[in-house]
Amino acid sequence: KKYKHCSKELEKQIIEYYFNNNTDKNLRTMASIFEINHTSIGKIITKALKERRENSLTKRCMQYQFCNK
């Protein structure tokens, strides 16, 4: 299977599983659970992590501190 854009609902389920499951975060295991390619899962998780980093309180505080100098 090639990488295809998944439905928003499936993306939400994958992200929720990744952040709430502390034991098994192997991409291939998740691929078998959700029945999509492990590359797709990797891209979905990477996108979610980037969004969380960009919206993090620490980053916003650092930007505010640097802008006010």
Side-chain angles (χ1 to χ4, degrees):
K1 296 178 185 178
K2 293 201 174 215
Y3 174 72
K4 293 182 181 176
H5 294 285
C6 302
S7 67
K8 295 291 181 185
E9 184 63 34
L10 183 58
E11 285 185 15
K12 283 183 182 179
Q13 290 175 357
I14 291 169
I15 292 167
E16 190 174 309
Y17 179 86
Y18 180 80
F19 287 114
N20 293 336
N21 188 2
N22 293 329
T23 56
D24 192 14
K25 295 185 178 180
N26 186 346
L27 294 181
R28 295 198 187 270
T29 304
M30 290 173 63
S32 65
I33 292 171
F34 294 104
E35 297 178 354
I36 61 172
N37 192 342
H38 71 278
T39 305
S40 301
I41 291 181
K43 289 181 179 184
I44 291 167
I45 292 171
T46 300
K47 181 180 163 188
L49 289 170
K50 283 181 182 178
E51 287 174 0
R52 284 185 177 215
R53 186 188 71 207
E54 292 298 319
N55 294 326
S56 71
L57 180 61
T58 306
K59 183 164 181 164
R60 285 188 278 155
C61 289
M62 287 176 55
Q63 287 175 341
Y64 179 76
Q65 182 181 19
F66 289 127
C67 290
N68 289 331
K69 284 189 174 182

